[in-house]
Amino acid sequence: MGRNKKTYTDEFKKKCIQELMEGKSASEVCADNSISPSTLSDWKKAILENGFGSKELKIAQKLQQETEARLEAAKLLIWKKELEIELLKTKMSSAVKK
């Protein structure tokens, strides 16, 4: 007698990995989907080694580009605020000297 091994669809596997990537803990994903931690780990490893499908890759690339754009905008805003602070310090310093 052997154990019957469950088979899961690629969509189900991707859904579980997506939940993990969105911030759910591995234990939550496993409990919510009735899978073992080792199974989830195997799926994650397979996706990291073999990559996502083209649709998932495009989504990940778009999210990365959006994140990089927001980061650059934040850096620019910080630079402007630092410049404003320096200008104000200079004005205050010259006003105190008078």
Side-chain angles (χ1 to χ4, degrees):
M1 284 205 281
R3 287 185 356 191
N4 289 338
K5 187 173 181 180
K6 278 188 171 182
T7 55
Y8 300 95
T9 64
D10 288 343
E11 286 73 28
F12 180 78
K13 293 175 185 178
K14 288 177 185 178
K15 179 184 92 60
C16 292
I17 297 300
Q18 185 68 33
E19 289 175 10
L20 192 62
M21 292 174 58
E22 289 173 350
K24 270 190 172 182
S25 69
S27 58
E28 288 176 312
V29 174
C30 291
D32 292 349
N33 295 288
S34 302
I35 57 174
S36 71
S38 63
T39 299
L40 182 62
S41 178
D42 290 345
W43 293 348
K44 181 181 172 186
K45 182 180 176 184
I47 285 183
L48 289 174
E49 289 175 356
N50 300 324
F52 290 98
S54 61
K55 180 181 176 184
E56 291 83 3
L57 182 59
K58 286 179 184 177
I59 291 169
Q61 288 173 335
K62 182 178 179 185
L63 287 173
Q64 182 179 0
Q65 289 172 346
E66 290 171 357
T67 301
E68 288 173 357
R70 284 191 297 246
L71 177 61
E72 289 304 313
K75 286 180 180 179
L76 181 61
L77 180 61
I78 290 169
W79 178 79
K80 286 179 180 179
K81 293 300 178 186
E82 288 174 342
L83 184 59
E84 287 175 11
I85 290 169
E86 289 302 315
L87 288 172
L88 288 171
K89 283 180 182 178
T90 303
K91 285 182 182 180
M92 289 180 64
S93 175
S94 63
V96 169
K97 289 180 183 178
K98 288 183 179 181

